[in-house]
């Protein structure tokens, strides 16, 4: 019988201008991302990217959910979306500065 666990799936404050693996679905597991939050901890506006890659493949243009989206200084964006992922799928992020924090909430089914 499958076990469903609701949880914080990932958190990261990535380095500037570096694509970063935010979340990788564990082996023999599926995941549903319900919400992604992006917080700008600086007074200066920034941009971010969010992508998903099947089986951990390199990021391609088709993988982007958000691309160079602007976020005002000292603010946050909440994306309430249902993204279904299979084992080894990855969520990746990119930030124009090191002042963005990313949080992913959802569930894992194993």
């Amino acid at each position: 019988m499958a076990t469903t666990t609701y949880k914080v799936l990932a958190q990261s404050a990535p380095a500037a201008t570096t694509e970063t693996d935010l979340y990788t679905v564990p082996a023999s597991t599926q995941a549903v991302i319900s919400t992604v939050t992006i917080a700008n901890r600086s007074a200066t506006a920034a941009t971010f990217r969010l992508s998903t890659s099947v089986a951990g493949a390199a990021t391609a243009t088709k993988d982007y959910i958000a691309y160079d989206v602007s976020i005002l200084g000292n603010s946050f964006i909440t994306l309430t979306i249902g993204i279904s992922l299979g084992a080894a799928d990855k969520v990746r992020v990119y930030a124009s500065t090191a002042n963005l924090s990313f949080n992913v909430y959802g569930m894992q089914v194993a």
Side-chain angles (χ1 to χ4, degrees):
M1 178 180 219
T3 301
T4 301
T5 306
Y6 297 90
K7 60 195 268 180
V8 176
L9 296 173
Q11 297 179 305
S12 181
T17 66
T18 304
E19 184 177 60
T20 303
D21 290 352
L22 177 61
Y23 173 67
T24 303
V25 181
S28 302
T29 304
Q30 296 174 323
V32 177
I33 295 174
S34 61
T35 306
V36 178
T37 61
I38 305 97
N40 186 349
R41 304 181 320 273
S42 169
T44 305
T47 61
F48 70 90
R49 300 175 188 172
L50 177 69
S51 64
T52 58
S53 296
V54 174
T59 304
T61 54
K62 65 182 173 78
D63 297 332
Y64 285 100
I65 296 165
Y67 193 89
D68 287 349
V69 175
S70 184
I71 180 170
L72 297 174
N74 296 323
S75 68
F76 68 95
I77 293 176
T78 300
L79 304 173
T80 304
I81 47 183
I83 301 173
S84 299
L85 301 169
D89 289 354
K90 290 186 179 281
V91 176
R92 295 187 177 110
V93 295
Y94 173 99
S96 63
T97 74
N99 297 314
L100 298 185
S101 296
F102 294 84
N103 289 271
V104 176
Y105 307 93
M107 66 179 189
Q108 289 180 329
V109 180

